[in-house]
Amino acid sequence: MLRGALLLVIGVLEAIYPHRVVDFWLSLALDDDGEPRRWVYTAARIEGVLIVLWTVRRWRAD
């Protein structure tokens, strides 16, 4: 329930203020030279694994 509510809020914010949301995440992800910080790739990998696990779990529940 909480996950769904959080995703809903993020989706609404991205729909209403796309530039602000993207600029916020880019300010965290990029260093002063415009290169991705080292942790960005690790975060992307973790996100990918979580998405796969969530999808597989939903498939098995159906």
Side-chain angles (χ1 to χ4, degrees):
M1 180 75 177
L2 180 63
R3 176 180 53 205
L6 181 61
L7 288 174
L8 177 65
V9 169
I10 291 171
V12 168
L13 288 175
E14 281 187 304
I16 296 172
Y17 306 110
H19 291 284
R20 288 184 186 178
V21 173
V22 170
D23 290 345
F24 169 75
W25 289 114
L26 285 176
S27 71
L28 293 177
L30 300 177
D31 62 16
D32 294 332
D33 297 329
E35 295 293 321
R37 297 183 193 276
R38 293 187 320 186
W39 61 264
V40 170
Y41 298 110
T42 302
R45 182 172 287 125
I46 292 168
E47 179 183 34
V49 169
L50 291 175
I51 289 170
V52 168
L53 292 174
W54 180 73
T55 303
V56 168
R57 184 176 176 208
R58 297 215 21 142
W59 282 346
R60 287 186 178 181
D62 292 341

